[in-house]
């Protein structure tokens, strides 16, 4: 049985995941405005992933016969000063989401809610990948971003990213 606290945290996570999608759409807009379509694509795919994450939490609560309450989604900030500030904000946000997943996991652990813990196992692994991907973008930008030809090639690499729906089975 899902405790009231875990239910509340899971429900809040739906909103946080939708906010993540909004944030990444804002990142995509920023790069599109800078004519870096590959970076824009990369964050568009990222936004699609976040929407799917929200729906996984949504479906999980429904499958557990728990009420889903949707809240307003905050407007993401868009006062970025350069490419690196966007990439850094992405890594910071992924670390924040990891802390949220860990908080839900800890609350489920306290109440021996093994089903929710098993559900969250996928997200724990996913967040590791998300943080690694965000750090890799920063590392590549640090290595190549100052050189226009290298930035062009990095942009081309990011343009090749395609969306793949998560394989989590509820």
């Amino acid at each position: 049985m899902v405790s009231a606290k875990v239910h509340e945290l899971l429900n809040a996570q739906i909103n946080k995941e939708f906010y993540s999608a909004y944030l990444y759409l804002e990142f995509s807009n920023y790069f599109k405005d800078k004519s870096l379509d590959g970076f824009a694509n990369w964050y568009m795919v990222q936004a699609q992933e976040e929407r799917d994450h929200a729906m996984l939490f949504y479906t999980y609560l429904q499958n557990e016969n728990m009420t889903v309450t949707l809240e307003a989604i905050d407007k993401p900030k868009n006062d970025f000063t350069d490419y690196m500030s966007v990439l850094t904000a992405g890594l910071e946000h992924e670390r924040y989401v990891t802390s949220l997943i860990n908080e839900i996991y800890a609350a489920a652990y306290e109440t021996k809610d093994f089903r929710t813990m098993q559900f969250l196992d996928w997200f724990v692994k996913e967040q590791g990948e998300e943080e690694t991907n965000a750090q890799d973008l920063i590392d590549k930008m640090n290595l190549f971003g100052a050189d226009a030809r290298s930035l062009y090639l990095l942009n081309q690499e990011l343009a090749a990213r395609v969306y793949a729906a998560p394989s989590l089975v509820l």
Side-chain angles (χ1 to χ4, degrees), residues 89-113:
L91 177 58
E92 289 171 8
H93 184 72
E94 288 303 336
R95 288 176 176 160
Y96 169 66
V97 172
T98 297
S99 75
L100 296 172
I101 299 296
N102 290 342
E103 181 182 355
I104 302 168
Y105 202 102
Y109 181 80
E110 282 179 24
T111 60
K112 295 185 167 85
D113 182 353

Side-chain angles (χ1 to χ4, degrees), residues 27-86:
F27 290 1
S28 181
N29 286 337
Y30 174 85
F31 284 114
K32 187 74 170 171
D33 288 346
K34 304 296 183 192
S35 298
L36 288 170
D37 293 345
F39 282 83
N41 174 68
W42 198 90
Y43 281 110
M44 183 67 72
V45 170
Q46 200 64 21
Q48 291 173 304
E49 282 189 8
E50 301 303 340
R51 286 191 303 262
D52 274 355
H53 294 170
M55 293 309 298
L56 288 169
F57 282 99
Y58 180 91
T59 302
Y60 180 75
L61 284 177
Q62 286 189 329
N63 288 347
E64 294 297 311
N65 297 313
M66 305 295 292
T67 303
V68 174
T69 305
L70 300 175
E71 301 291 341
I73 300 170
D74 293 334
K75 180 180 178 181
K77 78 173 204 164
N78 61 359
D79 58 347
F80 306 110
T81 57
D82 57 26
Y83 307 150
M84 190 59 80
S85 67
V86 178

